[in-house]
Amino acid sequence: MLSIAKLGDAGYYIDLAREDYYLEGGEPPGQWLGRGSKILDLEGEVQKEALTNLLLGFFPDGSTKLVQNAGADNRQAGWDFTFSAPKSVSTFWSQAEPETRQVVQAAQAKAVEAAVNYLEEVAGFSRRGKGGAGDLDRAVFVAAAFEHGTSRAQDPQLHTHVVVVNGTIRPDGTPGSIESQPFFDQKMTAGALYRAELSAQLEQSLGLRLVQERAFFKAEAVPDSLTDAFSKRRADIEASLAESGFTGAKAAKVAALMTRDEKEHRPRAELFAEWQTEGLAHGFSLPEVQAALHQAPPRDLEEERAALLVAALEGLATHENFFSETDLTRALAEAAQAHGLGINEVLAAKEVATHDARFVYLGREEGERLFTTEATIHAEKWAIKLTNYDRLNERFVLSEATYEQALRSHPTLSQEQTGALAYLLTVPGTVHVLPGLAGVGKSFLFDAARSGWEAEGFTVLGAAPSARAARALQEGSGIESRTIQKLVKSIDEGFQQLNERTVIVLDEAGMTDTRMLYQLLNHANIGRSKVVLTGDPKQLQSVEAGGVFAYLCNDARDPLTDIQRQREAWQREAIREFAQGDPTKALRAFEERGFLFVTPTREEAMEKLIHKWKETGVEAPASSLLLAATRADARALNTEAQAQRHAQLGAEGIPVDGYYVYQGDRVRFTRNNFLRGIENGSFGIVEVIDKDSITVRLDDGRQIRAPLAEQNVTLGYASTTHAAQGATVERAFVLLGSTLQDRKLTYVQASRAREDTYFAIDRESAGPYLRKLMHSVAEVPDQRLAIQLDNTPATPQLEIRHEWEHSR
């Protein structure tokens, strides 16, 4: 965590630090870190007067200015980095005897110092010139580290505050201030490196067996029940809510404030006694601590380093078209945790990786070296080459009579859709790219196209990145559809045959990642099949490495823009403005008609949305959807909406995904389970609640039973925008103002509803006259491909016809 250090922080941290902290309360004394501290002859224990003077902008003795605005009330005093050990490590520490605790604390101190040294090396800069407008110089850190051992609720929480002073000594000996942006650019990477070093130190010094948990790690021996018991703040808030009977975001915030005590500084001896009594109750105390020591597996560090490169390479190539040196370092650090590899091994692996043949150097951008992988370059170039090959092939050109029959069977096609149908059925080529804005009626268009293709004996297959999108394509067009992953797998395994009488329609192509798109196109090329790529490049893109569809749309036919979903003409025009024109004009259109509310606080913005939503959502939740950018906001809205429908719900509830779900609740499935007919993103109403399952009537009319042990369901009154892309409802209620808010996100949010879309935002996020909101929805570039950067290898020679011949 990174926050701004205030002028009074020196007194707070040092007042906590006492030599007699173990018996009389407080925390250990602070320690100086950084090369700048050594230059200023600051070593060992931090003294209050020296740190106070430094935070004020003076040299440690207070005699001379370290920065130009020393002593000013509004100056930025410094930055507070917090390095927190994983909860299981703090719990292990709390149950150990003094000698083992000291080893854990020493590991924490070494890991923190290593992370600070990294930050000093890559993020230490000072800008010369008046107002900081000049060139950057290297800067060394004057920093003070303060170890703390408790949370506000007096639970064990081993963490270290590192206060980096906003002042430095430049290489030429002159003083100056620190440039702050590199701190924010590097904070996540520094945190990952800290955890890698901590895990290596704990394994080497204590022999703890550690396991990886996504980007973190945990001590395997520590039971989850005990770490949960040492999370009293959450328990306090939930208890307060239960006692009050209130629910929702605002109530939770009030409960957090009401249950927030002043942080006590009790003696550690007293706390350890309490903690260890708790440990006994959960079957984890000193004997279990002793048994957990020296259990780490033997390590072959060379093998671990090689595996580290593979893991980082796979993760980066999956999610990014290209990545910076900082991204690479973070990925390596996250993969290194619980594998015996500390910060030195990670940084050494980074240097090896930048010279590895599997990594391709793309040049520099904003001072950072950029890389991609050979596999990414290959997939991007082949995918693009395949879509542009064989444009004159007439094998899939239908007769004029068939085209006319398709038109007659769909008399309500618009003029624009009629032109698109002619493009699909009568224009030569084996790959067609058909972009279209949200709500232009692509499914209806493809129903007409399907009738034409099938009339001349072609087999038509549909695919989409998600099961929900595939079902929508199938229901709207009559094309038998599945996820692209399932289609590609069935082709790989020989269950699905492609030939020159096969047409594949890939919907939501913009959300398809490059590697999967390349595999589909390659299979179609070998089978001599036709592929139609359709979607909206202006909407949200693939969460994995993607962007090929948006790139192809630059040279494609004009997109479909005749929006039919929204009933009001002004709404259709606003949607077009979000997609292709001026998003600020679109927002003004909603504001002028009373569909955009600005409230004093974010909690009141949620309340305003719920107030509007309950007018229709209480009785008809399936047609009224709440939208937010983040999962946390969606959860808060779900809780508020459920509370409004209390009278419509059954009396007995069952815990699901952190909520209590009742008969009559609206729910959303969050994972595919094809054996049960469950698709990720499907909505429905709970009809029956058993002790271990719920029976849900899906929106498509099917009834399914969902065992709760599978944990694939959540409340469905509100959804994140990403999860709702492709959905259509009567009314949408949108919470604006997230850090994720941009043009693409707002476009998707504004285009879900046929009837009304309401927006709410807090005043701080909106800014004066909506200026901050308008800036956030300004144009954002499409996801760039690696091949669009400099220094990529030459386009490979693709012997496509040879592949065809070989496949016969």
Side-chain angles (χ1 to χ4, degrees):
M1 187 177 74
L2 171 60
S3 60
I4 306 300
K6 299 180 287 294
L7 295 178
D9 283 352
Y12 170 76
Y13 291 126
I14 292 175
D15 286 346
L16 289 181
R18 307 175 186 176
E19 291 184 3
D20 54 357
Y21 70 94
Y22 186 77
L23 293 174
E24 296 188 20
E27 302 285 4
Q31 300 293 316
W32 292 107
L33 293 179
R35 295 199 299 271
S37 296
K38 293 179 180 178
I39 291 174
L40 297 177
D41 293 325
L42 298 171
E43 295 190 68
E45 187 174 322
V46 176
Q47 301 300 319
K48 182 174 182 179
E49 182 182 1
L51 182 57
T52 299
N53 286 331
L54 286 163
L55 291 174
L56 288 169
F58 295 93
F59 276 79
D61 61 4
S63 62
T64 310
K65 286 186 176 182
L66 186 61
V67 292
Q68 290 183 353
N69 64 346
D73 290 338
N74 62 347
R75 72 176 301 274
Q76 184 170 319
W79 299 267
D80 180 354
F81 290 87
T82 305
F83 297 94
S84 293
K87 191 70 177 178
S88 63
V89 173
S90 294
T91 302
F92 177 88
W93 171 75
S94 74
Q95 303 303 303
E97 81 288 354
E99 292 77 10
T100 301
R101 290 201 298 265
Q102 289 173 8
V103 176
V104 174
Q105 289 169 240
Q108 168 77 0
K110 290 175 182 177
V112 168
E113 185 173 10
V116 172
N117 290 343
Y118 168 80
L119 280 170
E120 189 172 39
E121 184 65 30
V122 301
F125 296 99
S126 177
R127 192 178 295 277
R128 290 184 178 275
K130 188 173 182 180
D135 296 332
L136 289 175
D137 264 348
R138 296 298 309 182
V140 291
F141 286 176
V142 180
F146 297 90
E147 177 200 296
H148 291 178
T150 63
S151 68
R152 186 173 295 275
Q154 301 298 292
D155 288 326
Q157 184 183 332
L158 186 61
H159 61 286
T160 303
H161 292 275
V162 177
V163 179
V164 179
V165 172
N166 186 13
T168 187
I169 303 296
R170 302 189 184 103
D172 63 0
T174 60
S177 59
I178 298 280
E179 184 75 4
S180 64
Q181 187 57 46
F183 287 162
F184 294 93
D185 296 339
Q186 293 285 344
K187 67 175 184 176
M188 301 300 289
T189 301
L193 287 166
Y194 150 76
R195 293 192 301 276
E197 182 66 21
L198 179 61
S199 73
Q201 290 286 339
L202 291 171
E203 186 173 301
Q204 292 164 18
S205 59
L206 292 174
L208 281 185
R209 183 183 288 273
L210 307 172
V211 292
Q212 201 163 20
E213 286 194 329
R214 297 180 299 278
F216 300 86
F217 74 93
K218 64 173 288 187
E220 187 178 56
V222 178
D224 292 339
S225 64
L226 183 55
T227 58
D228 291 343
F230 286 140
S231 300
K232 295 189 184 70
R233 279 292 292 140
R234 180 177 177 83
D236 288 346
I237 293 170
E238 290 176 349
S240 177
L241 287 172
E243 183 177 352
S244 68
F246 293 105
T247 61
K250 187 171 184 180
K253 186 172 182 179
V254 171
L257 291 172
M258 291 177 64
T259 59
R260 181 176 179 174
D261 299 325
E262 286 295 320
K263 187 171 182 179
E264 294 181 72
H265 309 303
R266 295 167 58 196
R268 280 193 175 179
E270 182 180 311
L271 288 169
F272 279 119
E274 289 184 9
W275 293 338
Q276 289 168 6
T277 299
E278 185 82 34
L280 281 169
H282 290 266
F284 188 79
S285 57
L286 189 55
E288 287 74 28
V289 168
Q290 294 292 332
L293 300 178
H294 313 300
Q295 297 299 310
R299 300 285 187 190
D300 183 327
L301 291 184
E302 288 302 318
E303 281 189 13
E304 295 289 353
R305 288 191 192 99
L308 176 63
L309 272 180
V310 172
L313 180 69
E314 182 177 340
L316 288 167
T318 297
H319 294 98
E320 305 292 343
N321 294 332
F322 54 88
F323 45 87
S324 69
E325 197 166 353
T326 299
D327 296 331
L328 174 58
T329 305
R330 179 181 173 186
L332 288 165
E334 290 176 350
Q337 294 173 63
H339 291 279
L341 301 172
I343 192 167
N344 290 335
E345 289 80 12
V346 169
L347 295 179
K350 187 257 298 184
E351 288 304 314
V352 171
T354 57
H355 296 90
D356 190 286
R358 292 168 293 184
F359 287 81
V360 179
Y361 175 58
L362 299 176
R364 287 182 177 271
E365 193 169 274
E366 297 181 357
E368 279 257 48
R369 291 196 293 171
L370 300 181
F371 300 88
T372 189
T373 66
E374 283 188 329
T376 298
I377 293 287
H378 180 82
E380 289 181 357
K381 291 197 169 184
W382 271 77
I384 292 168
K385 189 77 172 180
L386 288 166
T387 56
N388 286 288
Y389 191 80
D390 214 26
R391 286 188 171 185
L392 301 180
N393 192 305
E394 296 187 355
R395 190 169 61 256
F396 296 95
V397 174
L398 306 189
S399 67
E400 184 175 346
T402 301
Y403 168 64
E404 293 293 340
Q405 177 57 35
L407 282 178
R408 286 194 296 274
S409 65
H410 293 74
T412 58
L413 285 171
S414 68
Q415 183 177 355
E416 184 180 63
Q417 288 173 325
T418 299
L421 184 65
Y423 168 67
L424 295 173
L425 301 186
T426 67
V427 174
T430 55
V431 177
H432 281 21
V433 178
L434 180 62
L437 302 187
V440 295
K442 291 192 292 292
S443 294
F444 184 61
L445 165 64
F446 279 105
D447 184 55
R450 175 194 54 77
S451 69
W453 285 317
E454 290 181 345
E456 294 204 2
F458 290 97
T459 298
V460 188
L461 305 175
S466 69
R468 181 178 52 79
R471 176 171 287 275
L473 174 62
Q474 181 168 315
E475 292 175 348
S477 68
I479 299 172
E480 182 182 342
S481 303
R482 68 195 102 167
T483 66
I484 185 173
Q485 294 85 355
K486 288 188 70 176
L487 176 58
V488 167
K489 183 179 180 182
S490 66
I491 298 169
D492 286 337
E493 296 175 349
F495 296 109
Q496 178 68 62
Q497 302 294 323
L498 303 183
N499 57 48
E500 38 186 76
R501 304 297 294 171
T502 305
V503 177
I504 301 171
V505 176
L506 176 62
D507 196 11
E508 299 281 7
M511 296 193 77
T512 303
D513 66 90
T514 299
R515 288 192 290 181
M516 190 57 63
L517 179 60
Y518 158 63
Q519 290 179 58
L520 177 66
L521 290 170
N522 194 45
H523 280 308
N525 161 56
I526 293 171
R528 305 191 72 184
S529 304
K530 179 183 181 68
V531 177
V532 178
L533 305 177
T534 188
D536 187 353
K538 300 298 184 182
Q539 292 193 55
L540 300 170
Q541 303 297 295
S542 168
V543 295
E544 297 187 347
V548 168
F549 179 70
Y551 178 89
L552 294 170
C553 286
N554 292 326
D555 296 322
R557 74 182 300 281
D558 291 339
L560 300 170
T561 61
D562 185 10
I563 297 172
Q564 300 178 29
R565 179 180 295 159
Q566 283 71 38
R567 298 190 177 105
E568 295 286 339
W570 73 266
Q571 288 179 315
R572 297 194 292 271
E573 181 57 32
I575 302 305
R576 277 189 287 270
E577 292 290 353
F578 275 124
Q580 298 177 310
D582 182 358
T584 62
K585 181 179 178 181
L587 280 173
R588 291 295 183 197
F590 282 92
E591 180 196 26
E592 290 166 2
R593 291 167 174 81
F595 288 92
L596 194 160
F597 310 109
V598 180
T599 63
T601 67
R602 192 157 185 80
E603 288 74 20
E604 288 172 283
M606 289 187 183
E607 287 180 355
K608 185 67 176 179
L609 281 183
I610 293 295
H611 178 73
K612 294 300 299 183
W613 174 87
K614 72 179 183 180
E615 294 175 5
T616 55
V618 168
E619 297 299 330
S623 61
S624 300
L625 182 62
L626 291 149
L627 289 173
T630 67
R631 291 180 181 179
D633 285 340
R635 289 189 71 86
L637 290 170
N638 263 322
T639 303
E640 294 280 6
Q642 183 190 49
Q644 296 296 327
R645 295 195 71 238
H646 180 74
Q648 283 74 24
L649 304 180
E652 296 298 323
I654 189 168
V656 176
D657 190 34
Y659 304 101
Y660 266 82
V661 170
Y662 302 86
Q663 182 183 10
D665 257 327
R666 183 154 176 81
V667 294
R668 176 173 62 88
F669 288 95
T670 58
R671 194 181 308 155
N672 291 323
N673 188 329
F674 296 114
L675 292 176
R676 298 186 182 279
I678 297 171
E679 294 159 351
N680 185 9
S682 297
F683 289 86
I685 297 292
V686 177
E687 292 189 333
V688 179
I689 291 182
D690 297 320
K691 65 177 182 179
D692 59 354
S693 70
I694 55 175
T695 301
V696 178
R697 179 72 63 181
L698 298 178
D699 286 355
D700 62 14
R702 293 180 297 133
Q703 187 186 66
I704 57 94
R705 177 180 169 274
L708 296 180
E710 297 171 0
Q711 287 296 301
N712 61 352
V713 68
T714 188
L715 282 181
Y717 303 107
S719 167
T720 64
T721 306
H722 279 79
Q725 180 160 323
T728 300
V729 293
E730 287 299 306
R731 287 161 291 277
F733 305 82
V734 181
L735 180 66
L736 296 172
S738 160
T739 55
L740 301 175
Q741 200 75 49
D742 62 14
R743 182 171 183 154
K744 289 180 182 292
L745 192 79
T746 312
Y747 169 39
V748 173
Q749 292 168 333
S751 59
R752 297 307 92 205
R754 297 187 183 96
E755 191 69 45
D756 297 324
T757 299
Y758 294 92
F759 297 95
I761 187 171
D762 60 282
R763 189 172 295 143
E764 181 180 352
S765 299
Y769 306 103
L770 298 182
R771 288 173 187 160
K772 192 172 179 180
L773 174 61
M774 297 301 186
H775 178 74
S776 71
V777 301
E779 188 65 66
V780 292
D782 288 325
Q783 190 175 12
R784 288 188 296 167
L785 304 179
I787 60 172
Q788 292 178 284
L789 276 69
D790 294 336
N791 298 330
T792 57
T795 303
Q797 296 299 313
L798 306 180
E799 300 294 336
I800 297 176
R801 286 198 180 278
H802 175 72
E803 288 205 23
W804 281 356
E805 295 297 327
H806 183 70
S807 68
R808 289 179 176 175

